[in-house]
Amino acid sequence: MSPVTDNLEEDIADPLMQVLVVANRLPFCRMPGAGADQWQPSPGGLVSTLMPALRERRGTWLGWTGDVGAAEPFSKNGICCEPLGLSSSEVEGFYEGFSNRTLWPLYHDAIRPPEFNTDWWSAYVAVNERYATRAAQIAEEGALVWVNDYQLQLVPRLLHRLRPDLLIGFFLHICFPPPELFMQLPWRRELVEGILGANVVGFQVPLSLRNFAAAVDCLTNARRRGGELTYGDRTIQIRAFPASIDAGRFERIAGSYDTQLRVKVIRERLGGQPKILLGVDRLDYTKGIVPRLMAYKEMLADGTISVPECVMIQVAVPTRDNLGTYCDERRQVEKLIGDLNRDFGQMGAPAVHYLRQSLPIEELVALYCAADVLLVTSYKDGMNLVAKEYVASRIDDSGSVVLSEFAGAAESMSAAYLVNPHHREALKRAILAALGSSIAEQRRRMTSLRHAVRSWTSAHWANEFLGVLEAMRATAAHRSVCSVSGPRHDSRL
Ligand code: F6P
């Protein structure tokens, strides 16, 4: 984890400088079935980490509304939102196709086979051009533009061409894949060159940074010295900046009277003194919900644990429902939960309480406070902010986290029960150890986890990223402003 920034204000030279966030989703999406201008917070880690950071400054956010059709600019919770409407064919080709059937699986260890389709690629290029054009129109002179995530990897280069006065940062919220996977992509060089249009490129963890550097070495003639790339006449900083949360907000909600009351109600409804296992995930095949349920099932079957002394709550936030791989995952998860409740549930006491919904933060924090053990068993995860949210909410230093070693959060959470989700026996051992841990052991681990999450918040993350970007202003001013294309070179061709 990066060192703690003591004085947040000093990191940014001019706090009044416009920060324009460009991300595929606005922080708010239209409420299904509600009126045209009814908005609710968008799901996903990107929004929960950027929102609190942006609220602190004069921020504008350019992104998609999450459905088809246009919307007028609006302000909500201190953020100016500039909606970018996508047509249904753009949603199909750019979002569902190239972003989520090609890049998402490829960048997550090919857990599901990535599909390569030229029409989706064309849609990806076209939508990235639309984002870049719109950002060029609304960015103020010399603004800091923060482009986010795998859906928009071409935007930095396109935007730099349109507006060379801007300082452009790019942050990848998911993992960057190892070269042997990335090199499968027919459009690999275009993506790397697209990202290299930024002045600063950020990753969640050093492994992603190394993977990206390897791709740059293979596909371009950029020269690298440590975290600095020289590409043509430009200098680019590449660094790891682990994303985080607004820990104070979770602590405040956890400490409120209403939350503590709600925790009591939840526990009483579950039968008074049960041990509660909790999972909170988007219903995504990368999250390892199936191995978690399988481990629970085997432990119930062999009698190591039993219902109602031990129960599981699984919150599964709906996501990407139109994609076959997600429908399959949902079917598998729901079948397993059905089996568990059939075989081990009792009247009024199911083995798994399944909530397929997005919960308000107050209810989520109440669940975090009620649960004895949080289960994060992702096969691959850029960061996983749920693990950090749970820790921040445990204000009495109790509770335990079983955490996949393949989640970026594991880098800074070594006091969790780290586990390989592919290793069933190890997973069961970790869950049992967490369930059986003494209060003293919980305190020992949780104090260390809470210290880490409080000393590196979303504000530290954003200020460090924007600070490095702002520091590039001097370098950027001295270079030629017309082109970002370095000479081409592909060592594999
Ligand atoms: O964090 C990865 C990410 O894809 C974000 O870009 C996004 O906000 C979140 O997951 C939710 O995904 P989607 O925007 O496809 O619903």
Side-chain angles (χ1 to χ4, degrees):
M1 177 168 284
S2 310
V4 176
T5 313
D6 288 317
N7 189 339
L8 301 182
E9 298 307 320
E10 266 175 25
D11 278 359
I12 300 173
D14 179 2
L16 291 180
M17 176 65 64
Q18 185 199 30
V19 176
L20 172 62
V21 164
V22 185
N24 183 47
R25 260 188 203 282
L26 283 176
F28 307 100
C29 56
R30 280 212 186 88
M31 258 185 219
D37 290 321
Q38 299 291 300
W39 304 95
Q40 65 183 13
S42 297
L46 181 153
V47 168
S48 42
T49 197
L50 264 167
M51 256 274 264
L54 194 64
R55 225 186 278 127
E56 304 298 313
R57 20 183 101 71
R58 205 163 61 81
T60 302
W61 190 310
L62 169 63
W64 176 43
T65 51
D67 56 14
V68 288
E72 290 301 310
F74 62 95
S75 280
K76 197 166 162 60
N77 296 3
I79 295 176
C80 303
C81 296
E82 281 280 343
L84 187 128
L86 294 182
S87 68
S88 51
S89 70
E90 286 172 331
V91 171
E92 215 178 289
F94 156 75
Y95 173 71
E96 295 175 347
F98 199 76
S99 296
N100 289 320
R101 289 172 70 177
T102 307
L103 294 177
W104 182 266
L106 185 74
Y107 283 32
H108 286 91
D109 282 355
I111 297 165
R112 299 286 180 275
E115 298 169 64
F116 304 115
N117 174 313
T118 307
D119 291 339
W120 297 346
W121 165 248
S122 304
Y124 185 83
V125 174
V127 173
N128 272 249
E129 282 170 352
R130 289 192 55 211
Y131 268 103
T133 306
R134 187 75 193 118
Q137 285 164 352
I138 60 180
E140 293 172 8
E141 178 74 24
L144 304 182
V145 183
W146 190 345
V147 183
N148 289 273
D149 231 356
Y150 64 102
Q151 302 96 339
L152 302 179
Q153 291 172 96
L154 302 177
V155 169
R157 183 174 196 240
L158 294 164
L159 183 57
H160 177 73
R161 284 183 157 173
L162 295 168
R163 289 284 307 273
D165 60 299
L166 301 173
L167 276 174
I168 303 171
F170 176 79
F171 187 83
L172 186 70
H173 291 256
I174 63 174
C175 333
F176 195 90
E180 62 273 20
L181 282 177
F182 187 69
M183 294 305 277
Q184 291 179 8
L185 188 69
W187 308 278
R188 58 203 181 181
R189 185 169 33 194
E190 287 87 337
L191 290 191
V192 167
E193 286 180 342
I195 293 173
L196 290 180
N199 303 89
V200 175
V201 179
F203 298 93
Q204 297 276 24
V205 291
L207 178 61
S208 286
L209 171 65
R210 289 197 294 277
N211 288 341
F212 178 72
V216 169
D217 283 347
C218 276
L219 297 165
T220 76
N221 66 351
R223 277 172 292 119
R224 182 159 53 92
R225 252 215 341 235
E228 193 168 285
L229 288 176
T230 308
Y231 188 45
D233 60 353
R234 303 174 55 247
T235 305
I236 300 154
Q237 289 287 334
I238 57 171
R239 296 251 310 250
F241 304 84
S244 195
I245 57 161
D246 179 355
R249 183 164 184 229
F250 284 87
E251 285 177 359
R252 280 191 299 279
I253 297 175
S256 77
Y257 176 75
D258 286 353
T259 304
Q260 290 307 319
L261 208 61
R262 180 74 189 135
V263 174
K264 266 182 94 181
V265 171
I266 291 172
R267 293 196 69 92
E268 273 161 17
R269 284 222 185 129
L270 295 176
Q273 296 300 323
K275 287 281 187 186
I276 303 175
L277 299 168
L278 173 68
V280 177
D281 314 81
R282 280 188 308 108
L283 219 176
D284 194 299
Y285 54 80
T286 60
K287 301 292 184 185
I289 302 172
V290 169
R292 173 189 317 170
L293 290 169
M294 287 300 296
Y296 182 50
K297 185 175 174 185
E298 289 176 16
M299 288 157 70
L300 287 170
D302 67 18
T304 332
I305 54 175
S306 56
V307 178
E309 290 77 24
C310 180
V311 296
M312 183 185 282
I313 302 174
Q314 177 63 54
V315 179
V317 178
T319 186
R320 304 174 194 167
D321 283 344
N322 287 340
L323 304 191
T325 42
Y326 286 78
C327 297
D328 292 346
E329 179 69 12
R330 179 178 167 193
R331 258 195 299 276
Q332 212 183 335
V333 164
E334 292 183 353
K335 159 113 185 33
L336 257 172
I337 291 174
D339 292 351
L340 274 157
N341 285 338
R342 179 198 61 209
D343 294 344
F344 305 104
Q346 298 174 10
M347 184 76 83
V352 184
H353 296 256
Y354 176 57
L355 305 171
R356 187 175 168 273
Q357 53 195 259
S358 181
L359 296 176
I361 187 166
E362 291 76 13
E363 182 66 6
L364 201 55
V365 173
L367 284 179
Y368 289 149
C369 293
D372 298 278
V373 179
L374 178 77
L375 300 175
V376 175
T377 51
S378 322
Y379 288 127
K380 192 80 183 166
D381 216 331
M383 177 53 60
N384 198 289
L385 297 176
V386 166
K388 296 190 176 187
E389 291 174 0
Y390 175 80
V391 164
S393 305
R394 303 300 304 199
I395 50 177
D396 64 355
D397 288 333
S398 68
S400 305
V401 183
V402 172
L403 176 60
S404 165
E405 57 193 59
F406 302 115
E411 290 259 337
S412 62
M413 296 181 68
S414 54
Y417 292 85
L418 294 182
V419 72
N420 171 0
H422 299 275
H423 189 337
R424 183 72 45 76
E425 293 309 314
L427 182 51
K428 290 193 282 186
R429 272 200 302 274
I431 295 173
L432 269 187
L435 279 172
S437 62
S438 65
I439 284 289
E441 177 64 4
Q442 290 175 33
R443 290 239 156 89
R444 188 185 69 74
R445 289 173 180 263
M446 195 52 80
T447 311
S448 150
L449 291 168
R450 285 194 65 216
H451 175 72
V453 88
R454 297 172 95 192
S455 4
W456 185 257
T457 63
S458 51
H460 293 104
W461 170 74
N463 284 338
E464 179 143 311
F465 186 87
L466 293 175
V468 174
L469 185 55
E470 177 67 36
M472 294 296 281
R473 198 178 285 287
T475 324
H478 285 104
R479 63 159 199 262
S480 132
V481 291
C482 300
S483 159
V484 293
S485 51
R488 289 191 161 189
H489 159 78
D490 186 341
S491 63
R492 301 269 178 124
L493 296 177

